[in-house]
């Protein structure tokens, strides 16, 4: 039988991932002054041990005011390079492609860490040392009632911010990541430019669709100019706002065509988040609910796409790929539930194909597989054909 599509390698420019599974960026809100620490190393490292083809850091701020919370990672000064470089090296040594997402929170900055409420900072947060800072946006429109009023970015501000993106990209190169993703989704700064609900500017960076796309496209150009030509560039989008008057799929198709022309290699197709939590939108949620966005964008733009959103089961992921709906499968919170999801998925698909036998755990880290391989015959005697991983 042909190999499952989920476990076929994919080459993007000169970077090859061993399979089509990507661990999505998932903020941990646990950094101090933007610095990665041992939590981030272990958090991301176990996904490489778990068999993912690409492992991506959480949103990493290009400047201090671009953080969502005080606990966000950053790359706004050179001192932040070394701990991220250590993480990238560990991911690569354990078989995964190290990837980093660069971001600016825009008007969704200066927020509470989610376990304190995921809302505007309160006096209780200030007492913990999480004090507010000045936030910025395309237009002086707060995210919601009770939230900070953002400073409307001037053209000199935009120029300075482009330089922040450029320098952060150079630091990502120095940290030795192989994939870089630009965050244009979930209500953060670049998404705020794209959506007519948050961009009311009267200059060249607002108005019609072309004007609203102008600044995010300039950031893509800025990053691509200094990101090595042999390494792929991902762009994460909110395919639709899911709010009346917001971005629809035709807007995203137009943006993706322009992003491709500027050197974007993969479009990471999420949705929502303009207001409220990062993935908030009035979109019905079922298994794989965002896959149709990745499928339509892939079909209409010929872009390489990545699907994300309640893709929980190995056979579900395999079917999505086998039906040519997308090229990559992103797994987020399900990987928190099961950091070995890729390895378990490989076992589940192998079982279906009748390929279970000697070498069942060959893909596992040798420190684990050696033991599991020797345990397996005894389990077979106890359980007969019902192997534990069949429940994945």
């Amino acid at each position: 039988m042909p190999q499952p599509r989920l476990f076929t390698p994919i080459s993007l420019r000169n970077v090859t991932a061993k399979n089509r599974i990507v661990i999505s960026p998932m903020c941990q809100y646990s950094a101090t002054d933007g610095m990665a620490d041992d939590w981030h190393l272990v958090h991301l490292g176990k996904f490489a041990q778990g068999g993912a083809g690409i492992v991506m850091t959480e949103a990493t701020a290009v400047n201090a005011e671009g953080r969502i919370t005080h606990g966000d990672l950053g790359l706004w000064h050179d001192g932040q390079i070394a701990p991220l470089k250590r993480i990238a090296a560990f991911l690569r040594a354990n078989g995964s492609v190290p990837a980093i997402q660069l971001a600016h929170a825009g008007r969704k900055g200066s927020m509470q860490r989610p376990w304190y409420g995921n809302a505007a900072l309160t006096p209780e947060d200030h007492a913990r040392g999480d004090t507010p800072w000045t936030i910025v946006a395309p237009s002086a429109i707060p995210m919601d009632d009770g939230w900070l009023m953002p400073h409307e970015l001037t053209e000199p501000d935009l120029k300075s911010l482009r330089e922040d993106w450029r320098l952060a990209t150079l630091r990502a190169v120095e940290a030795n990541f192989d994939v870089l993703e630009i965050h244009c989704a979930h209500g953060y700064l670049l998404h705020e430019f794209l959506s007519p609900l948050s961009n009311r500017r009267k200059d060249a960076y607002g108005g019609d669709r072309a004007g609203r796309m102008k600044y995010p496209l300039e950031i893509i150009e800025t990053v691509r100019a200094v990101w090595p030509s042999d390494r792929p560039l991902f762009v994460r989008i909110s395919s639709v706002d899911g709010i009346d008057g917001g971005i629809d799929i035709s807007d995203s198709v137009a943006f993706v065509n322009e992003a491709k022309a500027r050197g974007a290699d993969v479009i990471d197709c999420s949705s929502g988040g303009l207001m409220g939590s990062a993935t908030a939108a009035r979109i019905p949620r079922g298994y794989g609910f965002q896959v149709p966005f990745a499928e339509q964008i892939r079909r209409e733009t010929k872009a390489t796409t990545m699907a994300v959103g309640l893709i929980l089961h190995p056979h579900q992921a395999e079917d999505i790929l086998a039906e040519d709906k997308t090229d990559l499968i992103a797994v987020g919170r399900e990987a928190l539930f099961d950091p070995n999801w890729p390895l378990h998925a490989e076992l589940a698909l192998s079982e279906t194909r009748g390929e279970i036998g000697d070498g069942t755990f060959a893909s596992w880290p040798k420190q684990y597989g050696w033991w599991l391989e020797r345990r397996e015959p005894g389990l077979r005697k106890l359980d007969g054909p019902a192997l534990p991983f069949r429940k994945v």
Side-chain angles (χ1 to χ4, degrees):
M1 293 183 183
Q3 186 178 17
R5 185 78 180 276
L6 190 60
F7 290 95
T8 58
I10 183 169
S11 294
L12 304 162
R13 298 201 180 220
N14 286 359
V15 173
T16 298
K18 65 185 178 183
N19 59 48
R20 306 298 181 103
I21 302 167
V22 181
I23 301 299
S24 279
M26 290 180 282
C27 289
Q28 299 297 290
Y29 309 105
S30 299
T32 302
D33 296 326
M35 299 286 285
D37 60 21
D38 287 350
W39 174 266
H40 301 91
L41 174 67
V42 174
H43 163 69
L44 294 166
K46 63 190 176 188
F47 300 133
Q49 292 177 330
I54 300 174
V55 177
M56 192 173 293
T57 70
E58 65 191 73
T60 304
V62 299
N63 63 26
E65 71 182 5
R67 290 174 294 171
I68 308 164
T69 77
H70 279 272
D72 289 20
L73 290 182
L75 258 182
W76 64 82
H77 67 73
D78 289 352
Q80 293 162 331
I81 296 172
L84 287 168
K85 189 170 187 176
R86 178 186 179 212
I87 290 170
F90 186 89
L91 298 178
R92 184 179 293 106
N94 285 272
S96 294
V97 173
I100 188 166
Q101 184 190 69
L102 294 184
H104 191 295
R107 69 179 187 176
K108 294 180 80 171
S110 195
M111 285 178 61
Q112 292 175 322
R113 302 175 202 234
W115 43 83
Y116 294 135
N118 208 31
L121 292 168
T122 67
E124 288 79 11
D125 299 299
H126 304 171
R128 285 188 284 265
D130 287 357
T131 54
W133 62 86
T134 300
I135 60 172
V136 300
S139 302
I141 304 171
M143 189 179 75
D144 207 346
D145 294 340
W147 290 76
L148 293 176
M149 177 65 73
H151 161 71
E152 184 170 311
L153 289 160
T154 65
E155 292 204 22
D157 293 334
L158 296 177
K159 180 179 180 181
S160 176
L161 190 51
R162 281 195 296 272
E163 180 66 1
D164 291 338
W165 280 89
R166 189 183 75 85
L167 293 174
T169 302
L170 290 173
R171 294 185 185 107
V173 175
E174 180 65 23
N176 211 15
F177 286 92
D178 289 334
V179 170
L180 187 147
E181 178 170 271
I182 298 173
H183 202 344
C184 294
H186 299 167
Y188 301 123
L189 183 66
L190 299 183
H191 181 190
E192 292 163 22
F193 272 93
L194 290 167
S195 178
L197 298 175
S198 48
N199 184 348
R200 305 286 176 81
R201 298 176 71 95
K202 304 300 183 184
D203 63 4
Y205 293 99
D208 62 10
R209 179 196 282 165
R212 298 193 313 273
M213 293 194 306
K214 181 175 172 61
Y215 193 66
L217 292 173
E218 287 182 357
I219 295 300
I220 292 171
E221 290 174 344
T222 297
V223 169
R224 182 75 269 181
V226 293
W227 184 242
S229 61
D230 61 347
R231 302 183 201 179
L233 179 64
F234 288 32
V235 175
R236 171 166 269 199
I237 64 169
S238 281
S239 307
V240 299
D241 278 340
I243 305 171
D244 292 344
I247 291 170
D248 63 24
I249 194 69
S250 66
D251 295 313
S252 290
V253 166
F255 178 65
V256 168
N257 279 324
E258 295 297 331
K260 277 184 60 187
R262 289 160 176 79
D265 299 292
V266 175
I267 307 301
D268 180 357
C269 300
S270 189
S271 66
L274 188 67
M275 300 177 66
S277 67
T279 55
R282 294 195 296 267
I283 300 167
R285 289 174 179 267
Y287 292 126
F289 70 103
Q290 294 176 146
V291 172
F293 303 138
E295 181 181 14
Q296 183 172 348
I297 287 170
R298 184 178 188 266
R299 182 177 66 249
E300 295 189 16
T301 69
K302 309 306 180 187
T304 299
T305 63
M306 181 159 72
V308 62
L310 291 182
I311 302 173
L312 307 186
H313 307 295
H315 292 88
Q316 174 198 14
E318 176 65 14
D319 288 346
I320 291 166
L321 290 169
E323 293 166 9
D324 284 331
K325 294 179 177 179
T326 194
D327 302 278
L328 291 159
I329 297 292
V331 179
R333 280 170 281 193
E334 189 65 9
L336 300 181
F337 181 74
D338 177 11
N340 290 335
W341 190 91
L343 293 172
H344 289 148
E346 186 176 34
L347 289 174
L349 294 173
S350 295
E351 178 194 10
T352 298
R353 294 154 57 86
E355 295 173 351
I356 298 299
D358 293 341
T360 292
F361 295 96
S363 297
W364 290 61
K366 61 180 180 294
Q367 298 92 331
Y368 298 170
W370 184 88
W371 288 101
L372 296 174
E373 197 72 53
R374 283 152 183 78
R375 185 184 70 157
E376 192 61 30
L379 289 181
R380 288 170 184 270
K381 291 177 182 178
L382 291 173
D383 297 336
L387 302 179
F389 52 79
R390 287 186 173 172
K391 298 178 182 178
V392 174

